[in-house]
PDB file of all heavy atoms in Angstrom:
ATOM      1  N   GLN A1178     -13.565 -40.096   1.098  1.00 66.00           N
ATOM      2  CA  GLN A1178     -12.823 -39.133   0.342  1.00 66.00           C
ATOM      3  C   GLN A1178     -13.483 -38.661  -0.953  1.00 66.00           C
ATOM      4  O   GLN A1178     -12.795 -38.351  -1.913  1.00 66.00           O
ATOM      5  CB  GLN A1178     -11.441 -39.792  -0.011  1.00 66.00           C
ATOM      6  CG  GLN A1178     -10.722 -40.226   1.312  1.00 66.00           C
ATOM      7  CD  GLN A1178      -9.262 -40.141   1.198  1.00 66.00           C
ATOM      8  OE1 GLN A1178      -8.708 -40.014   0.000  1.00 66.00           O
ATOM      9  NE2 GLN A1178      -8.508 -40.232   2.249  1.00 66.00           N
ATOM     10  N   THR A1191      -6.978 -37.601  -4.030  1.00 96.00           N
ATOM     11  CA  THR A1191      -7.772 -37.101  -2.970  1.00 96.00           C
ATOM     12  C   THR A1191      -6.878 -36.697  -1.840  1.00 96.00           C
ATOM     13  O   THR A1191      -7.323 -36.153  -0.728  1.00 96.00           O
ATOM     14  CB  THR A1191      -8.741 -38.086  -2.430  1.00 96.00           C
ATOM     15  OG1 THR A1191      -8.024 -39.357  -2.138  1.00 96.00           O
ATOM     16  CG2 THR A1191      -9.769 -38.455  -3.606  1.00 96.00           C
ATOM     17  N   HIS A1192      -5.663 -37.085  -1.868  1.00 97.00           N
ATOM     18  CA  HIS A1192      -4.630 -36.789  -0.823  1.00 97.00           C
ATOM     19  C   HIS A1192      -3.227 -36.859  -1.412  1.00 97.00           C
ATOM     20  O   HIS A1192      -3.041 -37.268  -2.496  1.00 97.00           O
ATOM     21  CB  HIS A1192      -4.810 -37.680   0.405  1.00 97.00           C
ATOM     22  CG  HIS A1192      -4.783 -39.143   0.114  1.00 97.00           C
ATOM     23  ND1 HIS A1192      -4.933 -40.112   1.174  1.00 97.00           N
ATOM     24  CD2 HIS A1192      -4.720 -39.819  -1.007  1.00 97.00           C
ATOM     25  CE1 HIS A1192      -4.900 -41.227   0.521  1.00 97.00           C
ATOM     26  NE2 HIS A1192      -4.838 -41.112  -0.746  1.00 97.00           N
ATOM     27  N   SER A1194      -0.889 -38.647  -0.103  1.00 98.00           N
ATOM     28  CA  SER A1194      -0.264 -39.918   0.329  1.00 98.00           C
ATOM     29  C   SER A1194       0.234 -40.830  -0.802  1.00 98.00           C
ATOM     30  O   SER A1194       1.230 -41.533  -0.630  1.00 98.00           O
ATOM     31  CB  SER A1194      -1.237 -40.775   1.157  1.00 98.00           C
ATOM     32  OG  SER A1194      -1.570 -39.953   2.333  1.00 98.00           O
ATOM     33  N   GLN A1197       3.993 -41.166  -1.352  1.00 98.00           N
ATOM     34  CA  GLN A1197       4.779 -42.147  -0.562  1.00 98.00           C
ATOM     35  C   GLN A1197       5.186 -43.225  -1.469  1.00 98.00           C
ATOM     36  O   GLN A1197       6.325 -43.683  -1.625  1.00 98.00           O
ATOM     37  CB  GLN A1197       3.909 -42.725   0.548  1.00 98.00           C
ATOM     38  CG  GLN A1197       3.626 -41.821   1.713  1.00 98.00           C
ATOM     39  CD  GLN A1197       2.848 -42.522   2.780  1.00 98.00           C
ATOM     40  OE1 GLN A1197       3.104 -43.693   3.009  1.00 98.00           O
ATOM     41  NE2 GLN A1197       2.041 -41.776   3.540  1.00 98.00           N
ATOM     42  N   ARG A1218     -11.345 -33.012  -3.640  1.00 95.00           N
ATOM     43  CA  ARG A1218     -12.444 -33.855  -3.164  1.00 95.00           C
ATOM     44  C   ARG A1218     -13.811 -33.144  -3.506  1.00 95.00           C
ATOM     45  O   ARG A1218     -13.893 -31.902  -3.422  1.00 95.00           O
ATOM     46  CB  ARG A1218     -12.387 -34.012  -1.623  1.00 95.00           C
ATOM     47  CG  ARG A1218     -11.258 -34.946  -1.228  1.00 95.00           C
ATOM     48  CD  ARG A1218     -11.226 -35.214   0.236  1.00 95.00           C
ATOM     49  NE  ARG A1218      -9.839 -35.631   0.562  1.00 95.00           N
ATOM     50  CZ  ARG A1218      -9.359 -35.924   1.813  1.00 95.00           C
ATOM     51  NH1 ARG A1218     -10.235 -35.916   2.808  1.00 95.00           N
ATOM     52  NH2 ARG A1218      -8.135 -36.349   1.963  1.00 95.00           N
ATOM     53  N   GLN A1231      -2.319 -30.060   0.679  1.00 98.00           N
ATOM     54  CA  GLN A1231      -1.876 -30.934   1.727  1.00 98.00           C
ATOM     55  C   GLN A1231      -0.319 -30.913   1.808  1.00 98.00           C
ATOM     56  O   GLN A1231       0.264 -30.646   0.732  1.00 98.00           O
ATOM     57  CB  GLN A1231      -2.364 -32.338   1.611  1.00 98.00           C
ATOM     58  CG  GLN A1231      -3.761 -32.577   1.953  1.00 98.00           C
ATOM     59  CD  GLN A1231      -4.168 -34.050   2.031  1.00 98.00           C
ATOM     60  OE1 GLN A1231      -3.473 -34.917   1.525  1.00 98.00           O
ATOM     61  NE2 GLN A1231      -5.236 -34.351   2.728  1.00 98.00           N
ATOM     62  N   GLU A1233       2.350 -33.894   2.746  1.00 98.00           N
ATOM     63  CA  GLU A1233       2.549 -35.282   3.189  1.00 98.00           C
ATOM     64  C   GLU A1233       3.988 -35.275   3.724  1.00 98.00           C
ATOM     65  O   GLU A1233       4.872 -34.576   3.180  1.00 98.00           O
ATOM     66  CB  GLU A1233       2.427 -36.195   1.934  1.00 98.00           C
ATOM     67  CG  GLU A1233       2.493 -37.662   2.329  1.00 98.00           C
ATOM     68  CD  GLU A1233       1.039 -38.103   2.795  1.00 98.00           C
ATOM     69  OE1 GLU A1233       0.068 -37.312   2.758  1.00 98.00           O
ATOM     70  OE2 GLU A1233       0.964 -39.219   3.324  1.00 98.00           O
ATOM     71  N   GLY A1234       4.272 -36.155   4.684  1.00 98.00           N
ATOM     72  CA  GLY A1234       5.632 -36.345   5.121  1.00 98.00           C
ATOM     73  C   GLY A1234       5.798 -37.744   5.482  1.00 98.00           C
ATOM     74  O   GLY A1234       5.006 -38.480   5.867  1.00 98.00           O
ATOM     75  N   PHE A1271      -6.101 -45.294   9.881  1.00 96.00           N
ATOM     76  CA  PHE A1271      -5.957 -45.008   8.394  1.00 96.00           C
ATOM     77  C   PHE A1271      -5.487 -46.325   7.856  1.00 96.00           C
ATOM     78  O   PHE A1271      -4.695 -47.061   8.489  1.00 96.00           O
ATOM     79  CB  PHE A1271      -4.874 -43.885   8.195  1.00 96.00           C
ATOM     80  CG  PHE A1271      -5.259 -42.523   8.771  1.00 96.00           C
ATOM     81  CD1 PHE A1271      -4.653 -42.107  10.007  1.00 96.00           C
ATOM     82  CD2 PHE A1271      -6.111 -41.665   8.135  1.00 96.00           C
ATOM     83  CE1 PHE A1271      -4.943 -40.929  10.508  1.00 96.00           C
ATOM     84  CE2 PHE A1271      -6.448 -40.520   8.606  1.00 96.00           C
ATOM     85  CZ  PHE A1271      -5.891 -40.157   9.891  1.00 96.00           C
ATOM     86  N   PHE A1273      -3.451 -46.974   5.654  1.00 98.00           N
ATOM     87  CA  PHE A1273      -2.022 -47.022   5.253  1.00 98.00           C
ATOM     88  C   PHE A1273      -1.106 -46.843   6.369  1.00 98.00           C
ATOM     89  O   PHE A1273       0.150 -46.831   6.167  1.00 98.00           O
ATOM     90  CB  PHE A1273      -1.692 -45.965   4.070  1.00 98.00           C
ATOM     91  CG  PHE A1273      -2.512 -44.739   4.271  1.00 98.00           C
ATOM     92  CD1 PHE A1273      -2.085 -43.615   4.983  1.00 98.00           C
ATOM     93  CD2 PHE A1273      -3.823 -44.607   3.684  1.00 98.00           C
ATOM     94  CE1 PHE A1273      -2.840 -42.492   5.147  1.00 98.00           C
ATOM     95  CE2 PHE A1273      -4.564 -43.513   3.784  1.00 98.00           C
ATOM     96  CZ  PHE A1273      -4.088 -42.439   4.562  1.00 98.00           C
ATOM     97  N   THR A1274      -1.553 -46.768   7.601  1.00 98.00           N
ATOM     98  CA  THR A1274      -0.610 -46.730   8.746  1.00 98.00           C
ATOM     99  C   THR A1274      -1.125 -47.678   9.863  1.00 98.00           C
ATOM    100  O   THR A1274      -2.309 -47.852   9.994  1.00 98.00           O
ATOM    101  CB  THR A1274      -0.581 -45.230   9.351  1.00 98.00           C
ATOM    102  OG1 THR A1274      -1.836 -44.682   9.396  1.00 98.00           O
ATOM    103  CG2 THR A1274       0.363 -44.415   8.547  1.00 98.00           C
ATOM    104  N   GLY A1305      -3.036 -36.144  10.467  1.00 98.00           N
ATOM    105  CA  GLY A1305      -3.179 -37.581  10.628  1.00 98.00           C
ATOM    106  C   GLY A1305      -1.768 -38.171  10.550  1.00 98.00           C
ATOM    107  O   GLY A1305      -0.900 -37.566   9.766  1.00 98.00           O
ATOM    108  N   SER A1306      -1.453 -39.322  11.203  1.00 98.00           N
ATOM    109  CA  SER A1306      -0.147 -39.837  11.171  1.00 98.00           C
ATOM    110  C   SER A1306      -0.136 -41.322  11.550  1.00 98.00           C
ATOM    111  O   SER A1306      -1.244 -41.860  11.910  1.00 98.00           O
ATOM    112  CB  SER A1306       0.784 -38.987  12.062  1.00 98.00           C
ATOM    113  OG  SER A1306       0.384 -39.272  13.457  1.00 98.00           O
ATOM    114  N   GLY A1307       1.010 -41.836  11.442  1.00 98.00           N
ATOM    115  CA  GLY A1307       1.088 -43.258  11.979  1.00 98.00           C
ATOM    116  C   GLY A1307       2.367 -43.886  11.429  1.00 98.00           C
ATOM    117  O   GLY A1307       3.209 -43.340  10.751  1.00 98.00           O
ATOM    118  N   ALA A1328       4.519 -41.868   8.693  1.00 98.00           N
ATOM    119  CA  ALA A1328       4.092 -40.930   7.686  1.00 98.00           C
ATOM    120  C   ALA A1328       3.065 -39.996   8.399  1.00 98.00           C
ATOM    121  O   ALA A1328       2.543 -40.276   9.432  1.00 98.00           O
ATOM    122  CB  ALA A1328       3.390 -41.724   6.652  1.00 98.00           C
ATOM    123  N   PHE A1329       2.884 -38.878   7.849  1.00 98.00           N
ATOM    124  CA  PHE A1329       1.861 -38.005   8.333  1.00 98.00           C
ATOM    125  C   PHE A1329       1.305 -37.086   7.156  1.00 98.00           C
ATOM    126  O   PHE A1329       1.909 -37.029   6.115  1.00 98.00           O
ATOM    127  CB  PHE A1329       2.444 -37.028   9.393  1.00 98.00           C
ATOM    128  CG  PHE A1329       3.614 -36.270   9.009  1.00 98.00           C
ATOM    129  CD1 PHE A1329       3.576 -35.048   8.388  1.00 98.00           C
ATOM    130  CD2 PHE A1329       4.855 -36.731   9.155  1.00 98.00           C
ATOM    131  CE1 PHE A1329       4.609 -34.319   7.952  1.00 98.00           C
ATOM    132  CE2 PHE A1329       6.019 -36.098   8.763  1.00 98.00           C
ATOM    133  CZ  PHE A1329       5.921 -34.813   8.165  1.00 98.00           C
ATOM    134  N   GLY A1330       0.153 -36.549   7.354  1.00 98.00           N
ATOM    135  CA  GLY A1330      -0.430 -35.664   6.287  1.00 98.00           C
ATOM    136  C   GLY A1330      -1.247 -34.640   6.921  1.00 98.00           C
ATOM    137  O   GLY A1330      -1.920 -34.935   7.934  1.00 98.00           O
TER     138      GLY A1330
HETATM  139  N1  LIG B 831      -4.028 -38.934   3.684  1.00 95.13           N
HETATM  140  C1  LIG B 831      -4.799 -38.607   4.801  1.00 95.13           C
HETATM  141  C2  LIG B 831      -6.029 -37.777   4.501  1.00 95.13           C
HETATM  142  O1  LIG B 831      -5.925 -37.167   3.445  1.00 95.13           O
HETATM  143  C3  LIG B 831      -3.908 -37.919   5.804  1.00 95.13           C
HETATM  144  C4  LIG B 831      -2.918 -38.797   6.351  1.00 95.13           C
HETATM  145  C5  LIG B 831      -3.206 -39.518   7.524  1.00 95.13           C
HETATM  146  C6  LIG B 831      -1.648 -38.919   5.786  1.00 95.13           C
HETATM  147  C7  LIG B 831      -2.207 -40.353   8.048  1.00 95.13           C
HETATM  148  C8  LIG B 831      -0.686 -39.795   6.247  1.00 95.13           C
HETATM  149  C9  LIG B 831      -1.032 -40.508   7.526  1.00 95.13           C
HETATM  150  O2  LIG B 831       0.430 -39.959   5.821  1.00 95.13           O
HETATM  151  O3  LIG B 831      -0.043 -41.338   8.049  1.00 95.13           O
HETATM  152  O4  LIG B 831      -6.842 -37.601   5.266  1.00 95.13           O
END
Side-chain angles (χ1 to χ4, degrees):
Q1178 304 210 347
T1191 57
H1192 52 177
S1194 303
Q1197 289 185 33
R1218 288 183 202 180
Q1231 284 190 339
E1233 190 78 12
F1271 299 100
F1273 33 90
T1274 42
S1306 67
F1329 56 87

